[in-house]
């Protein structure tokens, strides 16, 4: 999908509510040349084939640098793959390296931090900005000349995001609001947010700020009666049946993030709580079961590969499995 002469979007369809509509991969640079990608999806076939197919059939480009917006696996899972199979250099947030353990190639890794610039052919200049809040290592990328801002999960296309640290998140949103010339928001999930006759892309940023303030007000209202409540109880009262049940944990996480912020500011106090002590025997049993399941999954993948290779080999060789003596043909 073309966003501008220098920017394309590869939306990979999703059916999980935590990743609304699609997970998006962005390609920046002139067609037919070396490009920069932002995010590369989860380490499963549908992302790999979608990206490789788009590059080969439509974009006719090679990836020079594969960057990510943050360490979450649905954005960074394919870093080894693009390095090994597409020969791309990998670029990650400087403070995200420790969070990407096991997902980075041994060589060809560089890091980005706030204020860095990525200069591409044709005078394309991509600014790197830290935007913590959704995650500690979140980055945004900005092409000021075109007014295109790549937001990862800091801003989503058709819903609000999961927040890890409210204070950092609000500071990041306000920083993005100060950017000049923002015309297009390119989110990690969901559709693009663009300037129209009725609304501006900047309006979405302002809506996010207002939404977080609304959630804080709702949480404080739930605590007005003086009764101690868990974050889950507060979440159920605020959200009710308005969200998909599969999003309840995420909603509870947002409530907890607000409560931590309110606790830091002295508005809310929290009891210590008491964590369950895991039974060592149960932990060992579950770990063994998980390892066994993992082995079964790996064996299934190997068998699937063997079966695929067998089918391919059948296409290349005569059907000796069907004929003891195949028919022959000659002119009458």
């Amino acid at each position: 999908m073309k966003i501008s002469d220098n920017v394309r979007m590869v939306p990979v369809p999703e059916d999980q509510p935590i990743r609304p509509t699609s997970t998006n991969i962005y390609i920046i640079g002139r067609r037919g040349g070396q490009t920069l990608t932002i995010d590369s999806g989860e380490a499963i076939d549908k992302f790999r084939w979608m990206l490789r197919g788009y590059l080969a059939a439509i974009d006719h480009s090679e990836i020079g640098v594969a960057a990510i917006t943050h360490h979450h696996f649905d954005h960074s899972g394919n870093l080894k793959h693009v390095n090994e199979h597409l020969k791309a250099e990998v670029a990650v947030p400087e403070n995200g390296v420790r969070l990407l353990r096991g997902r980075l190639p041994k060589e060809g890794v560089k890091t980005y931090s706030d204020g860095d610039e990525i200069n591409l052919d044709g005078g394309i200049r991509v600014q790197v900005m830290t935007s913590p809040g959704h995650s500690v290592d979140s980055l945004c990328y900005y092409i000021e000349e075109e007014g295109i801002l790549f937001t990862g999960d800091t801003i989503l296309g058709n819903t609000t995001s999961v927040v890890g640290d409210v204070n950092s998140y609000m500071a990041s949103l306000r920083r993005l609001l100060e950017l000049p010339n923002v015309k297009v928001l390119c989110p990690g999930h969901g559709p693009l947010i663009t300037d129209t006759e009725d609304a501006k892309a900047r309006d979405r940023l302002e809506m996010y700020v207002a939404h977080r303030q609304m959630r804080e007000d709702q949480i404080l209202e739930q605590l007005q009666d003086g009764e101690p409540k868990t974050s889950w109880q507060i979440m159920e009262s605020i959200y009710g049946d308005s969200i998909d049940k599969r999003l309840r944990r995420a909603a509870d996480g947002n409530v907890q993030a607000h409560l931590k912020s309110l606790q830091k500011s002295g508005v809310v106090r929290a009891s210590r709580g008491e964590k369950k002590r895991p039974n060592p025997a149960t932990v060992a049993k579950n770990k063994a079961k998980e390892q066994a399941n993992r082995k079964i999954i790996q064996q299934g993948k190997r068998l699937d590969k063997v079966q695929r290779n067998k089918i391919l080999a059948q296409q290349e060789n005569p059907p000796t499995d069907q004929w003891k003596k195949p028919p022959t043909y000659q002119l009458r």
Side-chain angles (χ1 to χ4, degrees), residues 60-262:
H60 306 295
S61 297
E62 294 182 355
I63 301 175
V65 179
I68 60 171
T69 55
H70 60 300
H71 72 279
H72 291 165
F73 69 94
D74 53 324
H75 298 261
S76 65
N78 279 319
L79 290 177
K80 280 185 178 179
H81 177 81
V82 296
N83 175 265
E84 179 181 353
H85 295 282
L86 303 181
K87 310 305 178 188
E89 185 177 42
V90 166
V92 302
E94 187 174 47
N95 65 338
V97 173
R98 62 183 177 83
L99 302 170
L100 288 160
R101 194 168 297 158
R103 275 177 263 170
L104 295 177
K106 292 181 180 179
E107 297 179 349
V109 179
K110 66 189 298 184
T111 60
Y112 289 146
S113 56
D114 194 55
D116 285 344
E117 283 190 1
I118 307 164
N119 294 295
L120 304 174
D121 292 343
I124 304 167
R125 186 171 64 96
V126 183
Q127 301 174 43
V128 181
M129 304 172 55
T130 53
S131 56
H134 171 73
S135 68
V136 68
D137 64 330
S138 288
L139 294 178
C140 288
Y141 299 84
Y142 185 40
I143 305 177
E144 183 176 339
E145 291 74 15
E146 298 190 46
I148 300 175
L149 178 65
F150 304 87
T151 61
D153 285 357
T154 300
I155 301 289
L156 300 182
N158 50 10
T159 185
T160 54
S161 189
V162 175
V163 179
D165 185 299
V166 169
N167 293 336
S168 296
Y169 189 66
M170 294 295 280
S172 294
L173 292 178
R174 292 188 176 105
R175 184 184 183 193
L176 297 181
L177 274 167
E178 293 175 357
L179 291 174
N181 197 40
V182 174
K183 298 176 182 177
V184 182
L185 300 178
C186 297
H189 303 280
L192 299 172
I193 303 156
T194 60
D195 279 358
T196 66
E197 292 183 3
D198 300 320
K200 301 290 185 183
R202 189 178 299 275
D203 295 341
R204 181 62 64 90
L205 295 171
E206 292 175 345
M207 183 275 281
Y208 264 53
V209 173
H211 180 80
R212 292 268 64 89
Q213 185 59 58
M214 178 194 73
R215 283 286 181 248
E216 182 174 303
D217 293 343
Q218 289 175 328
I219 290 167
L220 290 172
E221 184 180 349
Q222 289 297 315
L223 297 173
Q224 285 299 317
D225 60 10
E227 291 294 321
K229 295 180 176 67
T230 66
S231 62
W232 193 268
Q233 289 172 323
I234 295 170
M235 180 278 296
E236 287 186 310
S237 296
I238 291 174
Y239 290 88
D241 296 326
S242 65
I243 58 170
D244 189 303
K245 289 182 179 180
R246 292 171 291 175
L247 292 174
R248 285 184 172 181
R249 278 285 183 97
D252 180 57
N254 279 353
V255 170
Q256 288 183 39
H258 276 285
L259 289 169
K260 287 177 184 176
S261 173
L262 291 166

